[in-house]
């Protein structure tokens, strides 16, 4: 008994020596992060799950400590990691409804630029410090240090070898609700969450498809497309002005930063502008002429470049990762196709050319000219943003100056900047609705949209006056960010709960912005609700171009509208009623939509990331471009 007591005492002493320091470092930092996440952002991890998550984190910390030279550096590294993945995820949930995810790596540079000096302090600097603490504190003296480092390296490699089986086991044991990442975070804890989602990102990677797989996918898409074409979205007497029998038409596409009508969020008895609409009455009248047509964006509160990609290439995106940042093959998207048809293709955006990697992405899409920040006079600034009025004027002047030497028709693609979060204000543009000092976003945003709509209508009227045959398309790229935990989106029950609680109609609202299409002298078109990727084919239809093109390879399923978004699918059925398809739903319209999306993504992987087999099949799969707009 005395021997057993002494032996147990030795075991306790050994355990205390091995685990006391990791526990003393990790537990307080975890507790502080737990409380900050809950009290500041309203994100509470389930207590019993937090304990399990903490235990895993302490285990990982023990491994890191063994190959660390300095205790203080180890403590600083672990504290920063816990803050980044716990408090950082909670802040992101409060802003966007979604925690830190592996694909956020593609957006780090853009986030730092958007946040300015604050981005360097809260994003870039901590990342650099963590990297420095980890690398600079490595110790490889002794067997224990080498074994611990080897274990930390070998574990992900070993699990990666059986990644699919490991992911299935993790989803069963830990749980997974892909349509509600907030719930995943709160029921897993930050450590399990980031590890499980990193495993998912690795396990679900798919190789570039073969030619046989691409051909089979295109055949399946064909079979679901139904009888083509259908032009029910237009009056029978309204016909496109084709290139063969008329003068080539200019195309003006105006992507409007965060453009949306926030009137539904204002108090029902709010005396907005003395009873007048918040947006310019000219815009309201024009929008009414389109039947209040709307665009359905792939993104919410950010990620403008994904909206650009859809319009320019005609393929949907269902990921939070930004395609421009991920890189892709040079592809025959709309700018390239119109270039072959004799167009001058110009993109304009008054921000840094490297933002969202546009300087490289635009070249791969076929733009021959990109006017960015350095090409414009910053003569009418709203803090850091050039006004839309100045942007429109300067682009028009540049195009006119080159017209004499280059008379080709123009694809004029403008991405505006004014109205970007944080919706800054200047005295020259006073508030048009009261700004709540405790929650400023809605008042400042509404003010920005008021002035933005005025400048938009001035530009549309100028284009219709000076270029009456042109095709004009204007749309909002996404809804705005209005504060933590939906902020003032909760007004009048516009949003309730998290993404996983949204009804189909509410989810559709989160992706719907105004859409204006003016078909030259035919006037405004009534298009209903159109996913942005379908506007690609609309341009070709209205220009009368029936050349083989990649967007025509993927017509949507017959009778339904499909709007893929991260983690789910929004749709409208044949009766124009919204429906929502969470992963695993394999019946009715959801089965059709999910199968179609899987095939479209396979074709997209081939064109943008693979060998491009689909490009050799363009003639075989020629769908009339109007077919997808019903």
């Amino acid at each position: 008994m005395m021997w057993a007591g002494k032996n147990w005492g030795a075991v306790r002493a050994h355990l205390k020596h091995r685990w006391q320091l990791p526990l003393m470092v990790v537990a307080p930092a975890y507790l502080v992060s737990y409380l900050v996440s809950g009290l500041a952002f309203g994100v509470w991890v389930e207590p019993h799950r937090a304990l399990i998550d903490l235990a895993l984190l302490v285990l990982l910390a023990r491994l890191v400590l063994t190959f660390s030279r300095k205790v203080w550096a180890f403590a600083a590294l672990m504290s920063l990691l816990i803050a980044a993945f716990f408090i950082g995820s909670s802040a992101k949930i409060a802003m966007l409804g979604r925690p830190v995810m592996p694909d956020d790596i593609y957006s780090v540079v853009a986030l730092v630029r958007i946040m300015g000096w604050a981005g360097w302090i809260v994003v870039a600097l901590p990342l650099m410090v963590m990297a420095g603490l980890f690398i600079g504190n490595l110790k490889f003296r002794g067997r224990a240090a080498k074994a611990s480092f080897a274990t930390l390296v070998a574990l992900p490699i070993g699990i990666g070898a059986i990644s699919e089986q490991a992911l299935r086991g993790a989803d069963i044991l830990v749980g997974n609700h892909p349509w509600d990442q907030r719930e995943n975070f709160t029921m897993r804890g930050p450590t399990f969450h980031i590890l499980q989602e990193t495993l998912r990102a690795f396990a679900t990677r798919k190789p570039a498809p073969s030619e046989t797989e691409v051909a089979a996918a295109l055949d399946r898409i064909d079979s679901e497309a139904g009888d083509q074409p259908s032009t029910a979205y237009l009056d029978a007497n309204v016909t496109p002005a084709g290139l063969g029998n008329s003068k080539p038409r200019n195309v003006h596409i105006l992507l409007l930063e965060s453009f949306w009508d926030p009137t539904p969020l204002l108090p029902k008895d709010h005396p907005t502008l003395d009873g007048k609409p918040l947006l310019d009455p000219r815009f309201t009248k024009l929008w009414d002429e389109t039947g209040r047509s709307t665009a359905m964006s792939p993104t919410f509160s950010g990620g403008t470049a994904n909206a650009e990609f859809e319009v320019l290439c005609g393929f949907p995106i269902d990921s939070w990762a930004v395609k421009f940042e991920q890189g892709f093959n040079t592809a025959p998207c709309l700018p390239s196709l119109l270039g072959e048809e004799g167009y001058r293709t110009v993109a304009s955006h008054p921000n840094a050319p490297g933002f969202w990697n546009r300087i490289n992405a635009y070249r791969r899409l076929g733009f021959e000219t990109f006017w960015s920040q350095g090409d414009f006079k910053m003569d009418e600034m709203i803090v850091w943003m050039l006004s839309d009025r100045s942007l429109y004027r300067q682009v028009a002047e540049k195009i006119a100056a080159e017209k004499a030497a280059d008379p080709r028709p123009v694809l004029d693609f403008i991405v505006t900047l004014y109205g970007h979060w944080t919706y800054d204000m200047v005295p020259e543009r006073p508030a048009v609705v009261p700004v709540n000092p405790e929650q400023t976003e809605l008042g400042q945003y509404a003010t920005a949209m008021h002035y933005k709509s005025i400048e938009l209508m001035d530009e549309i009227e100028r284009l219709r006056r000076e270029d009456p045959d042109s095709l004009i398309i204007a749309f909002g790229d996404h809804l705005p960010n209005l504060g933590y935990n939906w902020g003032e989106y909760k007004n009048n029950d516009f949003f309730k709960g998290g993404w996983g609680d949204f009804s189909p109609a509410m989810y559709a609202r989160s992706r719907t912005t105004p859409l204006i299409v003016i078909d030259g002298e035919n006037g405004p078109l009534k298009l209903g609700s159109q996913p942005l990727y379908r506007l690609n084919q609309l341009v070709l239809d209205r220009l009368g171009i029936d050349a083989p093109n990649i967007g025509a390879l993927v017509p949507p399923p017959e009778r339904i509208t499909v709007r893929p978004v991260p983690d789910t699918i929004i749709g409208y059925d044949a009766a124009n009623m919204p429906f929502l398809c969470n992963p695993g739903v394999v019946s009715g319209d959801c089965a059709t939509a999910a199968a179609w999306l899987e095939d479209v993504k396979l074709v997209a992987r081939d064109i943008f990331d693979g060998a491009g087999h689909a490009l050799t099949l363009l003639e075989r799969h020629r769908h009339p471009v109007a077919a997808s707009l019903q």
Side-chain angles (χ1 to χ4, degrees), residues 43 55 68 77 142 195-196 225-226 256 268 279 327-328 360-361 377 404 409 443 448 463 484 490 498 574 594 611:
V43 178
S68 296
L77 173 64
L195 292 178
Q196 191 167 339
L256 308 169
K268 297 185 185 301
L279 304 183
F328 52 88
N360 294 310
K377 296 178 182 178
L463 290 173
Y484 289 142
K490 291 181 287 191

Side-chain angles (χ1 to χ4, degrees), residues 126-138:
L127 288 175
M128 290 187 290
V129 170
M130 284 189 285
L133 288 171
F134 181 77
I135 296 171
N137 202 38
L138 287 174

Side-chain angles (χ1 to χ4, degrees), residues 43-196:
V43 178
W44 295 100
V45 175
E46 296 175 13
H48 68 288
R49 294 297 185 105
L51 290 174
I52 298 172
D53 188 69
L54 173 61
L56 173 61
L57 189 56
V58 170
L59 176 63
L60 294 175
R62 175 64 258 180
L63 290 174
V64 174
L65 177 61
T66 306
F67 57 78
S68 296
R69 293 189 299 113
K70 301 290 185 181
V71 171
W72 69 264
F74 159 77
L77 173 64
M78 295 308 301
S79 298
L80 283 171
L81 282 171
I82 293 168
F85 288 106
F86 207 145
I87 299 176
S89 282
S90 298
K92 188 165 177 272
I93 287 171
M95 292 289 286
L96 300 174
R98 180 181 172 89
V100 172
M101 301 287 283
D103 55 14
D104 288 334
I105 191 172
Y106 297 111
S107 305
V108 168
V109 173
L111 178 62
V112 172
R113 287 176 169 173
I114 289 171
M115 296 180 69
W117 63 267
W120 284 99
I121 294 175
V122 303
V123 179
L125 183 59
L127 288 175
M128 290 187 290
V129 170
M130 284 189 285
L133 288 171
F134 181 77
I135 296 171
N137 202 38
L138 287 174
K139 176 186 71 176
F140 294 115
R141 291 193 303 271
R143 292 181 180 179
K146 293 176 182 178
S148 294
F149 186 81
T151 301
L152 201 64
V153 172
L155 275 174
I157 295 175
I159 293 174
I162 54 169
S163 57
E164 293 185 10
Q165 299 92 324
L167 180 61
R168 282 196 297 270
D171 285 348
I172 292 171
L173 293 174
V174 183
N176 181 45
H177 298 96
W179 58 90
D180 192 347
Q181 291 296 344
R182 177 187 179 123
E183 183 178 352
N184 277 343
F185 181 82
T186 58
M187 75 175 187
R188 293 170 178 167
T191 314
F192 271 105
H193 178 75
I194 195 64
L195 292 178
Q196 191 167 339

Side-chain angles (χ1 to χ4, degrees), residues 62 101-102 111 153 160 187 213 247 272 277 316 341 349 383 389 393 413 460 493 504 518 545 563 572 582 607:
R62 175 64 258 180
M101 301 287 283
L111 178 62
V153 172
M187 75 175 187
E213 290 173 320
K247 178 183 176 182
T272 307
E341 294 286 340
H349 182 52
V383 188
R389 175 168 52 201
R393 174 179 52 78
F413 182 74
I460 288 177
D493 289 336
I518 302 172
I545 297 177
R563 171 63 276 172
Y572 285 94
N582 289 326
I607 293 173

